[in-house]
Amino acid sequence: MRTGSVSLETGRRAGEMADTLVLRALRGNAKHLDLSGKKLRRVPKAVGRLFELNRLQLKNNLISDLPAELQALNNLTELNLGNNSFEALPEVLKHLRQLRKLHLFDNKLEALSPNVLECLENLTFLNLNKNKLTTLPEEICRLAQLKYLTVNNNQLESVPSKLCLLQHLCELHLAHNKLKSLPHDIGYLTNLKKLSVPRNEIQVLPEELCVLRNLKVLDVAGNQLHIFPTKEMCKSKSAKHFPLHCQAVDKSCPRDQRNLLYLKLEEFYYEQNPLLEKDLITSTQMNEVLTLQEITARYILNGLSGNSLSEALEHYPEARKILAHASLCAVCKRSFLNTWLECVSFVDLAKIYAWM
């Protein structure tokens, strides 16, 4: 009983402190209210009377719902509900049509209500990190002004194709989920500058990724990739479902430039992918008997260089032709003609497997 009494007393004091802050805000006709970290379980209804409020900070509390009175906040453009106890999107959000930034990170969301989501058409920033989402509703495409979307540390297994209708999207963060693929329609996100999908289970990147000419940062680290797209881009099967101005993307990029090499990336993260197989083969190191031609070529190439070599071979065109195919060892920097194994070291295969 004592523990319960202390908890109730703490909650009562938190509520009184919040009421005091709201009262001060009302007197000053405040445009910004910060009730973060106050151990609140409820939001004071009086907040709904702050008609000039632009920013409302409610992060780091114990809130699980919002009062209906907040629907009167017609000027609210930023709302931070991070690190609370929300299990669903508060219904009152669909009345806050002027919202530009919405933080919902570190809650208990398992799904996003389409009825609420489709009403946030002016949203430009949405943070859904650290929830329990397994999918995103197709209605997310209604967020026509969205520029920044982050859904890291969830349980997403797929991404809806209609997300690719977000023509203003600049950054997409989907790290630490369970994604096995990305939608082929990703090529229609023509303004995308940053795509971050590390620590998933992606096995193949869609070839349509190669037409994202504005992409500057690509992070695909820690997936199951064996190869990057290099072939010609496949035509999207669902292109007919997109607006006409989106269908022009396929023609804007020449087919011979549809691979990652033509993206002007500033940052590219691809570590911890099985790009190289670890299957080792057994080989036996043998003493090689060099041909007379190889021995002679090495003697000439390593003894002469530059103008001296040209002058020495001036009257021997056949020799010049043969020596023109010479190579340089990357390890010792000495010249050779056909074969060079002196700098190759063989290791005990048993030791390598033991280390792995």
Side-chain angles (χ1 to χ4, degrees), residues 2 8 69 269 349:
R2 185 177 180 181
L8 289 172
E69 285 75 8
Y269 304 95
L349 199 59

Short mmCIF file of all heavy atoms in Angstrom, two decimals, residues 2 8 69 269 349:
data_model
loop_
_atom_site.label_atom_id
_atom_site.label_comp_id
_atom_site.label_asym_id
_atom_site.label_seq_id
_atom_site.Cartn_x
_atom_site.Cartn_y
_atom_site.Cartn_z
N ARG A 2 1.98 1.17 0.72
CA ARG A 2 2.85 2.34 0.78
C ARG A 2 3.40 2.70 -0.60
O ARG A 2 3.46 3.86 -0.97
CB ARG A 2 4.00 2.07 1.75
CG ARG A 2 4.88 3.28 1.97
CD ARG A 2 5.95 3.00 2.99
NE ARG A 2 6.79 4.17 3.19
CZ ARG A 2 7.84 4.21 4.01
NH1 ARG A 2 8.15 3.12 4.71
NH2 ARG A 2 8.55 5.30 4.12
N LEU A 8 0.85 7.34 -6.32
CA LEU A 8 -0.26 8.27 -6.49
C LEU A 8 0.15 9.68 -6.14
O LEU A 8 -0.24 10.65 -6.81
CB LEU A 8 -1.44 7.82 -5.61
CG LEU A 8 -2.18 6.56 -6.06
CD1 LEU A 8 -3.19 6.13 -5.00
CD2 LEU A 8 -2.88 6.81 -7.40
N GLU A 69 -9.82 17.87 -26.25
CA GLU A 69 -9.72 19.34 -26.24
C GLU A 69 -8.58 19.85 -27.12
O GLU A 69 -8.59 21.02 -27.55
CB GLU A 69 -9.54 19.83 -24.80
CG GLU A 69 -10.78 19.80 -23.94
CD GLU A 69 -11.17 18.41 -23.47
OE1 GLU A 69 -10.37 17.46 -23.69
OE2 GLU A 69 -12.25 18.26 -22.88
N TYR A 269 27.47 2.72 -47.65
CA TYR A 269 27.81 1.76 -46.61
C TYR A 269 27.28 0.38 -47.01
O TYR A 269 26.08 0.22 -47.23
CB TYR A 269 27.20 2.20 -45.27
CG TYR A 269 27.60 3.59 -44.85
CD1 TYR A 269 26.78 4.69 -45.15
CD2 TYR A 269 28.78 3.83 -44.17
CE1 TYR A 269 27.14 5.98 -44.77
CE2 TYR A 269 29.16 5.11 -43.79
CZ TYR A 269 28.33 6.18 -44.10
OH TYR A 269 28.68 7.46 -43.73
N LEU A 349 44.86 -24.38 -44.48
CA LEU A 349 43.40 -24.26 -44.53
C LEU A 349 42.77 -24.61 -43.19
O LEU A 349 41.79 -24.00 -42.77
CB LEU A 349 42.84 -25.18 -45.61
CG LEU A 349 41.42 -24.88 -46.11
CD1 LEU A 349 41.36 -23.48 -46.68
CD2 LEU A 349 41.00 -25.90 -47.17
#
